Amino acid sequence: MNWIRFIPVSIVTLALEITLFLSLPLNWTQQFSFVVFFFVFQLLLIPSALFFIQKKFETFSISCILLLCANFFTPIFLTISDYRTLPPNFIKSLIVRGDVMPNFEGINTISTDEMGFRSLSDIDYYNNSSFRIFAIGGSTTEEIYVDDNETWTSLLQVSLNKSENKKFEVINTGVSGLRARHHLGTMLRTENYYPDAYIFLMGVNDWNSHIKNYMGNDESVLINLYKTLIWKGLSFAKMLVNSLLFDKLGEEYGVSEEYGIYFSQQNNSLEKKDVREFLPENIDPDYESYVRRIATQCNDNSYLCFFLSQPTAYSTQLTDDLKERLWMTPPNVEYTLDLKSLISISQLYNQKLLEIATENNIHFCDLANEITPTIEYFFDDVHFNENGSKAVAELLHGCLSTILND
């Protein structure tokens, strides 16, 4: 085979790919990921095509070509599970520096157990002698910069064990970016681990998806690579590698420093030139469908379930120092909604969550109306610092304690 002919074709193709993706309204990490994806794709496709043209290894080359092309016609039912966790047995220590993320103190240790969950004590997932509560949500549950002992889930466990007449375990399953469909997936999986109750803090990732879909989603591309077989395979492989890579790392890598660079690069997003208005009357129907399925699952299995409204910085009382730290308006796009729209859509989702909870006899804890939008509690639009975590735990203890004693 004449491999020399492969080199210029690859260079030209790669140049076209880079030009294409640089022209799309994606952030640089997405552009890089897609360029790498298609470069690997062509490394497999072009030799297979050349083999076929030269009538060498016809069966092999045809199989490769068909398999590669099938990636772009992957049926929607060929999906990886909606269940997501942090890397199991992960441990990291960090210090938050600078003023981008205010009200963090000292060294924060972030760790997970063998299931990829954050927990204050060792959990025997296949036996249960305690009252076991699973907290399910995205980054506002995960609290990836907050010390193991200071997450709202850990503080809630401590306060419940001090004041109630039974032993409690509060297990944090949160993972950044997850939406209601993933929360249902987490619930279905953790049903194997003897749950007594569930706490759901959800909404922000779904309403940001709603905004982007309505606006045309500046992050979208003509081909959804995330639904291809190759991408799903790579995602699964990454999950396995993470599990091995972070297995019992311990503290041998020392204490890292976190300056909030990711946030500072996008802060003050309300001041973008492209300011848009979006005042929907209804929430995303997919979100509503998954929340209702969660409620049904709670009732069908007699779990004690709590829905929490999502506290945000979006308020007419928003302080200037917190306003400068906003970036999820929505995130990773070139435009921003105005504050009026952000207040409206966050209230719409929280109100609908209350309605669904009421209709299905699910307990509802209204955190959103109790936490003041200042840097005392938030370091950006929705994420809690150490003070915010304490406030959430105190509010939840008040909300849960009476019900748990019934």
Side-chain angles (χ1 to χ4, degrees):
M1 178 176 182
N2 188 359
W3 290 100
I4 296 177
R5 291 179 357 191
F6 171 71
I7 297 174
V9 172
S10 296
I11 293 173
V12 171
T13 307
L14 183 59
L16 290 173
E17 291 166 6
I18 293 173
T19 302
L20 169 64
F21 291 117
L22 288 179
S23 67
L24 291 172
L26 307 173
N27 61 45
W28 73 268
T29 54
Q30 291 171 314
Q31 292 170 342
F32 177 77
S33 298
F34 291 162
V35 167
V36 170
F37 179 93
F38 275 105
F39 183 68
V40 173
F41 184 89
Q42 78 177 34
L43 285 177
L44 299 173
L45 181 61
I46 294 176
S48 299
L50 291 176
F51 276 132
F52 178 70
I53 292 171
Q54 295 182 1
K55 297 182 179 180
K56 296 180 179 178
F57 312 109
E58 288 92 342
T59 302
F60 171 78
S61 58
I62 291 173
S63 299
C64 286
I65 291 170
L66 291 175
L67 179 61
L68 290 167
C69 292
N71 277 279
F72 300 103
F73 302 95
T74 305
I76 194 168
F77 59 83
L78 289 177
T79 60
I80 288 180
S81 169
D82 285 329
Y83 176 63
R84 304 279 193 276
T85 71
L86 293 172
N89 299 313
F90 170 83
I91 184 166
K92 179 179 181 179
S93 295
L94 60 86
I95 297 178
V96 177
R97 303 284 194 190
D99 191 46
V100 174
M101 301 166 64
N103 288 314
F104 284 88
E105 295 182 0
I107 297 175
N108 294 313
T109 299
I110 294 89
S111 66
T112 63
D113 59 21
E114 72 274 12
M115 296 295 181
F117 303 148
R118 300 189 70 182
S119 55
L120 194 59
S121 53
D122 292 333
I123 308 294
D124 181 358
Y125 287 100
Y126 299 101
N127 292 285
N128 187 14
S129 58
S130 303
F131 191 91
R132 181 168 295 168
I133 303 172
F134 283 94
I136 297 179
S139 54
T140 53
T141 300
E142 173 192 56
E143 293 197 284
I144 200 62
Y145 300 108
V146 179
D147 186 85
D148 289 342
N149 296 306
E150 298 182 282
T151 62
W152 63 258
T153 50
S154 292
L155 294 173
L156 178 62
Q157 176 176 312
V158 170
S159 63
L160 288 174
N161 281 323
K162 284 182 178 179
S163 62
E164 310 300 331
N165 56 5
K166 63 180 78 171
K167 182 181 178 183
F168 290 87
E169 296 172 337
V170 182
I171 301 164
N172 184 336
T173 71
V175 179
S176 267
L178 297 193
R179 295 164 54 189
R181 61 178 298 171
H182 305 108
H183 304 331
L184 176 61
T186 301
M187 184 183 192
L188 294 175
R189 179 64 65 90
T190 55
E191 286 181 330
N192 298 323
Y193 306 142
Y194 300 98
D196 295 296
Y198 284 96
I199 299 173
F200 293 90
L201 178 55
M202 54 188 171
V204 59
N205 294 318
D206 286 275
W207 78 56
N208 275 327
S209 175
H210 187 178
I211 294 167
K212 290 181 181 181
N213 288 334
Y214 177 81
M215 294 295 173
N217 194 353
D218 283 2
E219 294 181 311
S220 66
V221 291
L222 293 177
I223 299 171
N224 189 346
L225 299 180
Y226 299 113
K227 292 184 179 180
T228 65
L229 287 172
I230 286 181
W231 196 278
K232 292 178 187 300
L234 291 175
S235 298
F236 183 71
K238 179 183 177 183
M239 182 179 69
L240 293 179
V241 170
N242 282 342
S243 297
L244 297 173
L245 182 62
F246 295 117
D247 185 33
K248 298 295 184 185
L249 282 182
E251 298 185 3
E252 59 182 306
Y253 292 100
V255 179
S256 62
E257 296 183 333
E258 174 60 55
Y259 290 89
I261 294 175
Y262 176 79
F263 307 113
S264 63
Q265 290 174 340
Q266 304 179 76
N267 279 162
N268 207 24
S269 59
L270 286 180
E271 299 303 316
K272 290 178 179 178
K273 293 181 180 179
D274 186 356
V275 181
R276 305 181 186 182
E277 182 179 86
F278 180 42
L279 302 169
E281 296 182 358
N282 298 298
I283 64 172
D284 182 346
D286 284 344
Y287 173 72
E288 180 172 354
S289 172
Y290 281 107
V291 173
R292 290 191 180 279
R293 288 174 64 184
I294 288 171
T296 299
Q297 197 70 14
C298 289
N299 291 327
D300 287 351
N301 294 278
S302 300
Y303 299 132
L304 190 61
C305 289
F306 298 84
F307 287 176
L308 316 182
S309 60
Q310 173 63 62
T312 75
Y314 308 141
S315 166
T316 54
Q317 303 174 30
L318 173 64
T319 58
D320 289 340
D321 49 3
L322 182 53
K323 181 179 178 182
E324 293 173 355
R325 291 172 169 83
L326 301 187
W327 63 279
M328 301 179 68
T329 64
N332 305 312
V333 292
E334 297 301 318
Y335 61 86
T336 180
L337 295 191
D338 58 20
L339 183 58
K340 176 184 175 182
S341 296
L342 293 165
I343 293 171
S344 175
I345 196 167
S346 59
Q347 290 179 345
L348 175 68
Y349 272 71
N350 281 333
Q351 180 61 33
K352 192 63 179 182
L353 193 63
L354 170 59
E355 291 177 14
I356 296 173
T358 303
E359 291 170 10
N360 291 274
N361 296 314
I362 304 295
H363 300 289
F364 186 80
C365 301
D366 193 4
L367 304 182
N369 289 321
E370 298 294 333
I371 300 180
T372 308
T374 70
I375 61 171
E376 180 181 359
Y377 302 113
F378 296 95
F379 66 83
D380 63 10
D381 311 53
V382 296
H383 297 107
F384 311 118
N385 53 33
E386 292 170 0
N387 292 333
S389 187
K390 292 176 185 176
V392 170
E394 289 173 2
L395 289 167
L396 277 179
H397 182 249
C399 184
L400 271 63
S401 58
T402 302
I403 298 167
L404 293 174
N405 276 328
D406 288 346

